[in-house]
Amino acid sequence: EVQLVESGGGLVQPGGSLRLSCAASGFTFSSYSMNWVRQAPGKGLEWVSYISSSSSTIYYADSVKGRFTISRDNAKNSLYLQMNSLRDEDTAVYYCAREAVLDYWGQGTLVTVSS
Amino acid sequence: DIQMTQSPSTLSASVGDRVTITCRASQSISSWLAWYQQKPGKAPKLLIYKASSLESGVPSRFSGSGSGTEFTLTISSLQPDDFATYYCQQYNSYSLTFGGGTKVEIK
């Protein structure tokens, strides 16, 4: 059974940093590209970042470019999102999801940016 | 970036109704379109991919159609479990983009 489990969310002050993790199981993680998608409270879905299976290709949404860094460790079946210079508008539930068609999602981890 | 426009934003319907949601892309995305269902407090669930392919385990009352810039999601006979918010998403190119969502409410 495919499982994606996010962790690392929490309350952080504006300008602070946070590192999210996504633990994958039930499939050959190293064969699949991965994404981070977020959802602000009461709002729609927003794609955040993409990383290819080998980490050779990475994309970011303009809203996070230069502040967020996506990475993965295929040996540990894990995906990461390093978030720096956090802003109020980064407050959201962050999901990791597999492939461009987003066929599997984690349960999400809440990031709250507030003073 | 490709803009995705969904309509309506809210839809009131009764059990047994046929429901249609429309999604329009700002440029051609061929058939690289997916539909998701999301319930409160839960992650989105993939329903349809490649515009009209039903994801495994999804009831056959869900169907998708369209190509290019115009797409529809149809629920042939609305069931109590179907009251949720639905999103379209293009994966023709990065940045991935989503429609604004359609909330299907009980009439």
Side-chain angles (χ1 to χ4, degrees):
Chain A
E1 178 195 4
V2 171
Q3 278 202 312
L4 298 170
V5 179
E6 301 94 339
S7 61
L11 175 63
V12 61
Q13 292 188 336
S17 299
L18 215 51
R19 189 195 196 206
L20 305 184
S21 299
C22 170
S25 61
F27 65 103
T28 305
F29 181 71
S30 59
S31 297
Y32 290 85
S33 64
M34 297 294 295
N35 296 271
W36 287 98
V37 177
R38 68 185 181 183
Q39 187 169 36
K43 302 297 184 183
L45 300 166
E46 179 189 18
W47 169 79
V48 172
S49 185
Y50 161 91
I51 187 168
S52 63
S53 58
S54 64
S55 303
S56 60
T57 302
I58 286 174
Y59 300 120
Y60 297 100
D62 287 344
S63 58
V64 307
K65 203 172 293 182
R67 301 187 298 121
F68 289 12
T69 302
I70 191 171
S71 63
R72 64 190 295 162
D73 185 335
N74 286 342
K76 294 183 177 180
N77 291 338
S78 292
L79 174 72
Y80 306 101
L81 186 68
Q82 177 67 43
M83 304 187 296
N84 298 331
S85 302
L86 282 161
R87 306 167 179 167
D88 291 351
E89 56 264 34
D90 295 318
T91 294
V93 174
Y94 285 73
Y95 297 100
C96 59
R98 193 179 81 165
E99 288 285 281
V101 76
L102 308 174
D103 55 356
Y104 288 94
W105 298 63
Q107 85 288 352
T109 188
L110 176 62
V111 172
T112 303
V113 184
S114 175
S115 54
Chain B
D1 293 359
I2 299 173
Q3 306 303 316
M4 305 301 293
T5 304
Q6 244 182 278
S7 61
S9 55
T10 306
L11 187 160
S12 295
S14 301
V15 173
D17 284 353
R18 182 181 181 87
V19 166
T20 299
I21 299 168
T22 299
C23 183
R24 180 177 291 113
S26 60
Q27 64 188 73
S28 177
I29 57 170
S30 185
S31 295
W32 303 116
L33 184 101
W35 289 96
Y36 302 87
Q37 177 193 67
Q38 188 179 33
K39 296 182 179 179
K42 300 292 188 182
K45 173 188 172 185
L46 177 65
L47 299 176
I48 301 282
Y49 62 96
K50 215 170 178 183
S52 60
S53 296
L54 193 67
E55 175 71 347
S56 176
V58 174
S60 59
R61 62 181 179 273
F62 290 93
S63 64
S65 64
S67 66
T69 62
E70 298 278 339
F71 302 87
T72 59
L73 172 70
T74 300
I75 309 172
S76 60
S77 177
L78 199 64
Q79 298 302 300
D81 191 49
D82 301 338
F83 292 97
T85 300
Y86 294 84
Y87 294 93
C88 62
Q89 175 238 332
Q90 68 80 20
Y91 54 104
N92 178 75
S93 63
Y94 277 87
S95 307
L96 304 181
T97 45
F98 293 88
T102 296
K103 186 175 182 179
V104 177
E105 298 179 328
I106 301 173
K107 192 172 184 180

